[in-house]
Amino acid sequence: MFEVACIQLEARDVSQYEQTEKEILEWIDSLCSEEKVDLLVFPECAWPAYFLRENEEAAELALKRTPNFMKEVAQRAAHYRVHIAMGLYVQENGLLRNAGFLWGPEGEILGRVYKSNLWHFDRKFIEAGELFSVIDTSLGKLGMMICADGRAPEIARILAEKGAEVIIDMANLVSSASSTTLLMNPQIEYMLPVRAFENGVWIILCDKVGLEAYSIMNTGRSCVINPLGHVIGSSPSDTPEALIATVDTEMASYPLPDKENRCFARLTDPTEKLPVTSLMAKPMVLAETGAVCSAAHFSAETADHYVAMASRMIRVLQDQDASLISLPDCGKKADFDEVVHKLRPLLNPKVVVCVGGLAEIDGHKKRAAIAFSKDNTYGPIFLDKACRPVVFSTEAGRIGLVIEEEMFLPEVARSMMLEGVQVLFWADAKRHAMTEKIARCRAAENRVFLIRAGCGDKEDNSFIVSPTGNICAITVPGMDQSASAYCLLGEAYSKTVITGTDVVLGRLPHAYKELRNTSRKEE
């Protein structure tokens, strides 16, 4: 257990590097003199600034001063006997690096990281990092990542697989709003809580506030997130401050599905060999990929009642031009095969229905999911047999079936994305506190659509998420209802988040070799 202080700095232009240096050192002196803290965390590019082109002459002077600045930080770490994590630009072997350093209480550099998942114009100036180190310290095992690295599930996963108990995320998260008090970012809203949850680790995010170079509005909202995905402390979006929180590395995490004997070979395949890469390169008329997707939600007391409600929903939705329909889990209320048998004759030729429930295999009932049309069946996929994620090419697009807590593993949805999935269907029979955040994260980190079919309970619901992570249709809990959205499924093959950042082309699969140790079953 230890005390951490996230120092949320005011963003400044690189021309103000002298003031920036003074403020950073004053923050260290002030906090360590007044508070008992074990770890101080500063944002990405705390020194000298994030956008160096604002004043290239000042940037050159600042970068020359970097070694002296680092000595000042090291001296304070030793003097106050604290750990300090900080993001800064460094020049190494003729390369400019967006780096993060961890100093120990002796003033020594314990570890470093280089930004790997480059954001926007980063690629113009810096080299991507391939270093995912976990540092064994007196505080515990610490991993580090920088800003947009939090968007790539592989990076936090590698750190966790290497034993990280805490991941420090140094960031300059950007946003926009009509007021600085309203600023928010997807990483803060749902991505980083999911990273903490899916890896069973603490995440310490330190961000900046304010405007840099007239164009980079920092989000603030530095926070500390526990292994259950709960934010235990956060800063405002518009005020520099030191957020102090207690990190308990002994805290239990949620028991996640085992990854043993699963095949996630796609995660380390070369980008040029991925199915999604060839699909991304094919020309298309975006309007021709449009489809009405519908998420149905209803309760049923008996098998006959379930089939009757599903039949009514299908008739209504087909009249409203739905081509991909998800139904709530039929569970113990109806026989899985009987549901498919009775509903199939109702379908128009190009309509696909997805449903989860219990299906028989080897004489036992197992959790399963299936998709079917009037003429074809896709699956079933069984919960305990889903060792290799499968993508089906159907009349309504390329879909993947994910059952219950399998969605908690980022490798499942990630592998399906690399196989070229357009829509993830989540057959989920039990709502979790993290359900909505996980759904939004899986859609956004993979740039795909996601439809979650709830279990039909009064406190549950169904919804559709767009590739941006926004919920575009949702049902009201406790109401028999369907919610529909017009989805341009071709958008699932546009993997660009912003110019310079692509969730497929920006990956570094050759650097993810650690994932083979636990998640790759050789074919």
Side-chain angles (χ1 to χ4, degrees):
M1 186 177 295
F2 64 86
E3 298 296 309
V4 62
C6 296
I7 293 72
Q8 183 165 278
L9 297 175
E10 178 81 31
R12 297 196 180 280
D13 294 340
V14 69
S15 56
Q16 299 172 291
Y17 69 89
E18 291 178 325
Q19 184 175 352
T20 297
E21 177 180 9
K22 180 174 179 288
E23 289 181 353
I24 290 173
L25 299 180
E26 285 179 347
W27 270 112
I28 297 173
D29 290 335
S30 174
L31 271 172
C32 293
S33 298
E34 299 174 4
E35 302 281 350
K36 187 183 183 306
V37 292
D38 304 292
L39 170 64
L40 277 68
V41 180
F42 287 85
E44 173 191 16
C45 299
W47 168 266
Y50 179 47
F51 187 66
L52 300 185
R53 293 284 182 96
E54 183 268 338
N55 186 323
E56 294 188 54
E57 182 179 351
E60 184 176 350
L61 292 171
L63 291 172
K64 286 180 179 178
R65 184 168 174 75
T66 297
N68 288 331
F69 171 73
M70 293 177 69
K71 286 180 183 177
E72 293 276 1
V73 175
Q75 288 171 3
R76 280 166 170 77
H79 178 72
Y80 295 113
R81 306 290 299 169
V82 296
H83 293 77
I84 299 176
M86 185 183 301
L88 62 162
Y89 277 121
V90 294
Q91 290 179 316
E92 296 181 353
N93 302 319
L95 299 176
L96 183 64
R97 296 282 198 179
N98 183 334
F101 286 83
L102 178 66
W103 285 270
E106 300 288 340
E108 76 280 32
I109 293 175
L110 297 178
R112 68 186 68 196
V113 66
Y114 303 120
K115 191 173 187 178
S116 177
N117 187 35
L118 301 185
W119 180 256
H120 198 186
F121 50 75
D122 286 342
R123 201 171 299 278
K124 292 182 178 180
F125 316 126
I126 66 173
E127 293 293 319
E130 299 179 6
L131 184 65
F132 312 115
S133 300
V134 173
I135 308 124
D136 202 347
T137 76
S138 59
L139 305 179
K141 294 182 178 181
L142 309 182
M144 296 189 292
M145 61 186 183
I146 299 176
C147 202
D149 288 348
R151 287 178 167 267
E154 293 90 345
I155 295 172
R157 178 63 100 201
I158 289 172
L159 294 174
E161 296 287 4
K162 286 184 171 182
E165 299 166 297
V166 180
I167 296 177
I168 298 168
D169 187 2
M170 295 155 277
N172 278 188
L173 295 171
V174 297
S175 185
S176 65
S178 59
S179 167
T180 54
T181 61
L182 301 176
L183 295 170
M184 182 49 78
N185 182 282
Q187 290 191 60
I188 298 167
E189 192 174 0
Y190 53 84
M191 284 183 163
L192 291 176
V194 171
R195 293 286 168 265
F197 175 81
E198 71 195 9
N199 291 296
V201 300
W202 287 82
I203 287 185
I204 299 169
L205 168 72
C206 190
D207 198 10
K208 292 180 185 176
V209 295
L211 184 65
E212 182 184 343
Y214 308 105
S215 55
I216 302 166
M217 179 62 80
N218 289 269
T219 311
R221 301 192 187 278
S222 299
C223 60
V224 177
I225 308 168
N226 71 22
L228 297 178
H230 302 154
V231 176
I232 66 162
S234 62
S235 294
S237 61
D238 60 347
T239 307
E241 72 161 33
L243 168 68
I244 298 176
T246 301
V247 174
D248 180 4
T249 54
E250 298 297 320
M251 180 180 176
S253 58
Y254 186 83
L256 298 168
D258 197 342
K259 297 192 295 297
E260 290 294 327
N261 299 318
R262 295 170 184 267
C263 182
F264 300 130
R266 285 297 184 201
L267 298 179
T268 53
D269 282 348
T271 301
E272 63 274 12
K273 294 184 178 181
L274 295 171
V276 71
T277 305
S278 61
L279 290 166
M280 289 164 60
K282 289 183 178 180
M284 70 173 73
V285 178
L286 192 59
E288 294 178 358
T289 71
V292 175
C293 298
S294 301
H297 190 82
F298 56 83
S299 59
E301 301 299 325
T302 65
D304 288 342
H305 188 195
Y306 183 95
V307 171
M309 286 298 300
S311 300
R312 293 185 194 119
M313 288 279 187
I314 288 171
R315 290 191 182 97
V316 169
L317 292 172
Q318 286 188 142
D319 279 346
Q320 296 173 1
D321 299 317
S323 55
L324 183 57
I325 300 171
S326 73
L327 297 176
D329 189 88
C330 62
K332 299 177 181 179
K333 300 169 186 172
D335 182 79
F336 196 71
D337 294 331
E338 184 180 355
V339 167
V340 176
H341 175 72
K342 289 186 175 180
L343 296 182
R344 190 192 299 275
L346 306 178
L347 301 184
N348 294 335
K350 293 185 178 182
V351 173
V352 174
V353 172
C354 300
V355 65
L358 294 171
E360 187 169 311
I361 181 172
D362 299 330
H364 300 282
K365 292 286 187 180
K366 301 286 186 181
R367 297 298 312 169
I370 195 169
F372 59 95
S373 64
K374 193 174 190 67
D375 301 313
N376 296 293
T377 300
Y378 308 100
I381 296 294
F382 291 91
L383 182 60
D384 59 346
K385 296 292 183 180
C387 293
R388 182 186 178 91
V390 178
V391 173
F392 298 103
S393 183
T394 76
E395 296 89 336
R398 292 175 63 85
I399 67 171
L401 306 173
V402 184
I403 305 169
E404 296 183 356
E405 293 190 355
E406 296 289 290
M407 193 65 84
F408 293 4
L409 299 177
E411 293 89 349
V412 175
R414 195 66 154 182
S415 296
M416 289 183 176
M417 182 275 283
L418 298 175
E419 291 283 355
V421 79
Q422 293 174 299
V423 183
L424 293 171
F425 168 70
W426 187 4
D428 191 15
K430 183 179 180 181
R431 190 178 185 88
H432 186 276
M434 291 291 290
T435 290
E436 190 171 300
K437 289 182 179 179
I438 289 169
R440 296 182 68 187
C441 186
R442 296 290 174 256
E445 71 194 14
N446 294 300
R447 304 295 286 189
V448 297
F449 293 92
L450 183 148
I451 304 177
R452 186 224 177 218
C455 62
D457 287 349
K458 291 183 178 180
E459 296 181 358
D460 201 3
N461 61 356
S462 302
F463 52 78
I464 302 171
V465 189
S466 76
T468 61
N470 294 321
I471 293 179
C472 51
I474 189 167
T475 63
V476 177
M479 182 178 292
D480 292 344
Q481 179 194 359
S482 64
S484 300
Y486 179 67
C487 302
L488 294 172
L489 300 188
E491 290 181 357
Y493 295 144
S494 174
K495 301 299 186 181
T496 300
V497 183
I498 192 171
T499 303
T501 304
D502 188 288
V503 301
V504 172
L505 304 181
R507 295 175 73 251
L508 302 173
H510 63 276
Y512 304 152
K513 56 185 181 296
E514 288 87 357
L515 295 177
R516 297 192 189 107
N517 297 334
T518 56
S519 63
R520 180 177 179 130
K521 180 180 177 181
E522 298 298 337
E523 298 172 90

